[in-house]
């Protein structure tokens, strides 16, 4: 199919000039409206106003411009259907071979916090209809529905002298339907956020990157979204599926801590094998690494402060996959970039989704993120002995780590450092024994440390084992029908225990 006529009506004019000039050079007749028409005229290129084609002006403040049989007939007419051709002749409707149209910036207007009236006016009617019509009739019509397609389209337009194959037309039609469905999803979510009229799973992200592979090399993997909103990659190899999962875990835990206090987390398979606060960034990193330097090997490191030269020198001694931090001193960055595969990310602070979902069986489950972070006001002392101020700080610290660790989990900590954790165990007792063994293997004394559990203790065995290991205070949700047995043991042995009433299962 060779393009002989085109309808062009776009919101964004960037990159349009070369397309217009090329179409004109190929003797394509151009129809247009409003601002696009004025733009084409400013280039000194002939253009037919849609109003002249339809004999109707734009009405209702521009809400109705292209919605007319003489426009849609020329797009939807099937070239090999005799009755369609007869109708075109009878009603003097010219065929349209190419439609270049984009959509009003609904999402951009929404993100600006505009008024409802402004948002509603950015719901495109004519544009979305033109896109669907042209895409539906891909057998005879080519649709360009986004400025992001201009470069590719222009390259083909010049290379093929205005001729496009059926395969190419179907390719652009597929992209057009992706754009139109994404647009409708955004509008639905805006309305539904206010009315809750429909419980429905509707998510659409157009930006995508192909990953090297999925969780394992034999699995395909993709990331949908714009990672540049979250960080800039300053060095290293391409990010993998597992890298991204662990970076997400690192950011989630790191954000539990106040920005003005240096904090470091080290993540392996989404669990923290190190987490600490420090007087300096270097101290926070050294304390985090000390908790489990074996598991930390090849891990993901997240730090909430500027990476200085001293910290970079220490980091450079250890093998890790990814480092993410908000800033880097020049010398520090040069040091860290000395290894070409080491992934260095500079974090940006942006709004992250508050809902999460995953495929399950033959559908999808969706839930709010666990955004509850306990504070001292959430703690209910249930034992005769109350925790000291130092123990309260330690309990809250340990609880934050437990919240971000796979269940069943037990976390052992002091007020600024993860000492050890038991992760992803089928028994809470096994998780505790794992944590104690780890602490001992890396030379930590648990005398005076605290214990956090992501869920309640069904029996008193955990507090008994913890007490014998040196633990002096415990934080847990409570809620077991046998809570009193754990409370009694603590009272008999001088332990402090607090309930939060908040469970933090993580699967």
């Amino acid at each position: 199919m060779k393009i002989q006529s085109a309808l062009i009506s776009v919101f964004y004019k960037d990159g349009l000039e070369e397309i217009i000039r090329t179409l004109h050079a190929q003797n394509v007749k151009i129809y247009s409206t409003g601002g696009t028409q004025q733009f084409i005229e400013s280039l000194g290129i002939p253009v037919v106003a849609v109003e002249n084609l339809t004999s109707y002006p734009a009405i209702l403040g521009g809400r109705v411009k292209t919605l007319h049989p003489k426009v849609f007939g020329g797009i939807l007419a099937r070239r090999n259907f005799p009755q369609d051709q007869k109708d075109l002749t009878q009603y003097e409707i010219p065929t349209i071979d190419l439609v270049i149209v984009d959509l009003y910036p609904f999402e951009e207007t929404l993100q600006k916090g505009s008024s409802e009236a402004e948002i509603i006016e950015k719901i495109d009617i004519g544009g979305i209809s033109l896109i669907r019509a042209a895409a539906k009739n891909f057998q005879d019509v080519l649709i360009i529905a986004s400025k992001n397609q201009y470069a590719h389209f222009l390259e083909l337009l010049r290379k093929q002298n205005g001729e496009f194959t059926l395969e190419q037309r179907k390719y652009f039609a597929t992209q057009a339907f992706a754009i139109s469905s994404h647009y409708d999803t955004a509008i639905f979510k805006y309305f539904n956020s206010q009315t809750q009229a429909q419980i429905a799973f509707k998510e659409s992200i157009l930006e995508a990157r192909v990953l090297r592979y999925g969780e394992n090399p034999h699995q395909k993997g993709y990331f949908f979204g714009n990672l540049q909103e979250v960080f800039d990659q300053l060095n290293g190899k391409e990010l993998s599926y597992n890298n991204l999962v662990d970076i997400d875990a690192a950011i989630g835990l790191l954000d539990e801590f106040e920005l003005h206090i240096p904090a470091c987390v080290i993540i392996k398979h989404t669990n923290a094998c190190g987490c600490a606060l420090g007087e300096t960034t270097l101290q926070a990193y050294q304390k985090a690494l000390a908790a489990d330097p074996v598991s930390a090997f090849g891990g993901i490191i997240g730090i909430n402060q500027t990476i200085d030269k001293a910290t970079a020198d220490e980091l450079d001694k250890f093998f890790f996959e990814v480092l993410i931090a908000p800033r880097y001193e020049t010398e520090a960055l040069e040091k860290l970039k000395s290894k070409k595969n080491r992934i260095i990310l500079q974090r940006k602070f942006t709004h992250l989704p508050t809902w999460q979902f995953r495929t399950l069986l033959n559908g999808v489950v969706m839930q709010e993120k666990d955004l509850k972070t306990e504070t001292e006001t959430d703690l209910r002392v249930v034992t005769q002995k109350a925790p000291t101020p130092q123990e309260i700080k330690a309990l809250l610290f340990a609880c934050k780590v437990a919240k971000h660790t796979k269940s069943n989990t037990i976390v052992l900590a002091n007020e600024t450092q993860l000492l050890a954790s038991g992760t992803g165990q089928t028994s809470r007792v096994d998780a505790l024994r794992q944590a104690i063994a780890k602490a001992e293997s890396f030379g930590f004394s648990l005398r005076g440390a605290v214990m956090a559990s992501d869920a309640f203790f069904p029996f008193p065995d955990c507090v008994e084992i913890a007490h014998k290991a040196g633990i002096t205070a415990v934080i847990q949700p409570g809620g077991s029908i046998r809570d009193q047995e754990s409370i009694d043991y603590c009272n008999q042995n001088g332990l402090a225990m607090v309930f939060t009433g908040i469970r933090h299962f993580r699967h």
Side-chain angles (χ1 to χ4, degrees):
M1 181 208 77
K2 184 172 178 62
I3 296 171
Q4 299 181 62
S5 59
L7 171 63
I8 306 174
S9 180
V10 296
F11 188 88
Y12 296 106
K13 312 299 187 296
D14 302 340
L16 188 62
E17 180 177 346
E18 285 304 305
I19 291 174
I20 299 294
R21 293 193 183 281
T22 304
L23 289 172
H24 176 60
Q26 294 179 359
N27 298 313
V28 174
K29 188 172 186 177
I30 300 175
Y31 300 90
S32 191
T33 65
T36 308
Q37 177 190 335
Q38 294 172 12
F39 175 77
I40 296 171
E41 290 171 342
S42 73
L43 300 176
I45 291 173
V47 58
V48 178
V50 167
E51 289 90 336
N52 293 341
L53 172 63
T54 63
S55 299
Y56 272 89
I59 61 173
L60 306 181
R63 280 190 165 195
V64 180
K65 289 183 284 192
T66 57
L67 295 168
H68 193 281
K70 282 203 170 183
V71 174
F72 282 85
I75 296 170
L76 286 165
R78 292 157 291 189
R79 308 315 194 244
N80 61 344
F81 272 48
Q83 185 59 50
D84 285 9
Q85 296 307 305
K86 183 179 178 181
D87 288 343
L88 292 181
T89 301
Q90 180 179 350
Y91 297 106
E92 299 180 338
I93 300 173
T95 55
I96 296 173
D97 305 317
L98 168 67
V99 175
I100 301 178
V101 62
D102 59 12
L103 299 169
Y104 290 160
F106 177 82
E107 289 181 283
E108 293 88 335
T109 305
L110 191 61
Q111 290 165 2
K112 290 177 183 176
S114 304
S115 67
E116 181 170 85
E118 291 174 306
I119 292 168
I120 297 301
E121 282 307 305
K122 289 301 184 288
I123 298 177
D124 207 312
I125 304 300
I128 201 83
S129 302
L130 290 167
I131 287 172
R132 290 178 64 85
K136 177 178 179 177
N137 201 24
F138 68 89
Q139 293 280 353
D140 301 300
V141 178
L142 177 66
I143 173 64
I144 302 299
S146 168
K147 62 181 180 180
N148 296 330
Q149 300 169 326
Y150 286 178
H152 184 203
F153 166 67
L154 182 59
E155 179 186 1
L156 293 174
L157 183 68
R158 288 170 169 166
K159 181 179 179 180
Q160 299 172 183
N161 195 32
E163 293 186 357
F164 286 81
T165 66
L166 177 62
E167 183 181 37
Q168 289 168 339
R169 297 196 299 277
K170 194 169 187 178
Y171 171 84
F172 281 109
T174 303
Q175 289 192 326
F177 282 123
I179 290 166
S180 66
S181 63
H182 175 82
Y183 195 75
D184 284 339
T185 296
I187 295 168
F188 163 76
K189 291 178 72 173
Y190 167 70
F191 276 90
N192 206 47
S193 68
Q194 299 176 345
T195 65
Q196 285 81 52
Q198 181 72 40
I199 297 176
F201 179 75
K202 288 186 180 291
E203 293 294 330
S204 177
I205 303 173
L206 292 177
E207 293 178 272
R209 71 158 64 185
V210 179
L211 302 175
R212 283 179 288 159
Y213 49 81
E215 203 161 6
N216 299 291
H218 62 278
Q219 296 170 266
K220 291 181 180 179
Y222 303 89
F223 177 81
F224 295 94
N226 183 2
L227 287 174
Q228 289 185 330
E229 293 179 355
V230 184
F231 52 71
D232 289 324
Q233 183 166 350
L234 307 180
N235 191 66
K237 60 186 178 181
E238 183 182 350
L239 287 162
S240 71
Y241 178 99
N242 293 328
N243 288 156
L244 292 172
V245 171
D246 283 344
I247 290 166
D248 180 72
I251 288 174
L253 178 53
L254 202 57
D255 284 352
E256 295 285 350
F257 303 104
E258 298 177 33
L259 286 173
H260 68 276
I261 300 174
C264 175
V265 302
I266 305 176
I267 300 293
K268 197 72 173 287
H269 298 300
T270 75
N271 294 310
C273 55
C275 181
L277 307 179
E279 294 294 326
T280 64
T281 300
L282 175 59
Q283 186 188 61
Y285 164 66
Q286 290 172 326
K287 289 168 66 176
L289 182 63
D292 188 349
V294 174
S295 296
F297 185 84
I300 310 296
I301 301 175
I303 296 176
N304 69 347
Q305 302 277 310
T306 300
I307 304 297
D308 55 23
K309 181 63 163 55
T311 307
D313 287 340
E314 198 67 22
L315 283 162
D316 191 57
K317 299 174 183 176
F318 191 75
F319 172 70
F320 58 89
E321 282 270 336
V322 180
L323 172 64
I324 183 167
R327 292 169 300 277
Y328 297 84
E329 290 183 357
T330 302
E331 284 187 293
L333 185 58
E334 289 176 1
K335 181 75 173 181
L336 293 167
K337 289 171 71 174
S338 61
K339 293 181 174 63
K340 67 177 183 179
N341 287 332
R342 179 185 282 162
I343 298 170
I344 307 298
L345 306 177
Q346 183 165 338
R347 185 182 176 189
K348 303 173 184 177
F349 290 89
T350 186
H351 173 74
L352 297 175
T354 57
W355 286 80
Q356 53 192 185
F357 52 86
R358 62 189 293 184
T359 57
L360 197 70
L361 300 175
N362 64 340
V364 173
V365 288
M366 187 171 183
Q367 67 170 356
E368 290 180 297
K369 280 187 176 179
D370 184 356
L371 299 175
K372 174 63 180 176
T373 299
E374 286 83 349
T375 65
E376 190 170 347
T377 58
D378 295 307
L379 309 184
R380 179 167 66 91
V381 179
V382 295
T383 50
Q384 294 168 358
K385 181 182 178 182
T388 65
Q390 185 177 359
E391 286 173 334
I392 288 173
K393 288 181 180 179
L395 290 169
L396 292 174
F397 177 91
C399 191
K400 290 174 180 177
V401 179
K403 171 184 168 182
H404 290 269
T405 306
K406 295 289 186 182
S407 299
N408 291 308
T409 185
I410 292 291
V411 169
L412 308 178
N414 58 38
E415 66 270 28
T416 62
Q417 185 180 23
L418 168 65
L419 303 178
S421 63
T423 63
Q425 299 300 304
T426 53
S427 159
R428 202 159 299 281
V429 172
D430 287 345
L432 175 55
R433 292 191 189 282
Q434 181 190 55
I436 292 171
K438 272 201 169 189
E440 290 175 349
S441 70
F442 293 113
F444 286 106
S445 169
L446 295 176
R447 189 162 304 280
V450 305
M451 174 173 71
S453 174
D454 60 334
F456 64 65
F457 298 120
F459 304 102
D461 46 6
C462 280
V463 290
E464 181 178 353
I465 295 168
H467 169 242
K468 291 177 180 178
I471 297 298
T472 58
V474 178
I475 184 169
Q476 59 139 318
S480 168
I481 58 174
R482 304 179 72 165
D483 275 344
Q484 193 58 47
E485 294 179 25
S486 294
I487 294 171
D488 289 343
Y489 182 90
C490 289
N491 285 336
Q492 292 162 11
N493 293 276
L495 274 75
M497 185 160 64
V498 297
F499 286 179
T500 64
I502 302 161
R503 190 181 74 183
H504 290 295
F505 269 171
R506 191 173 184 88
H507 293 97

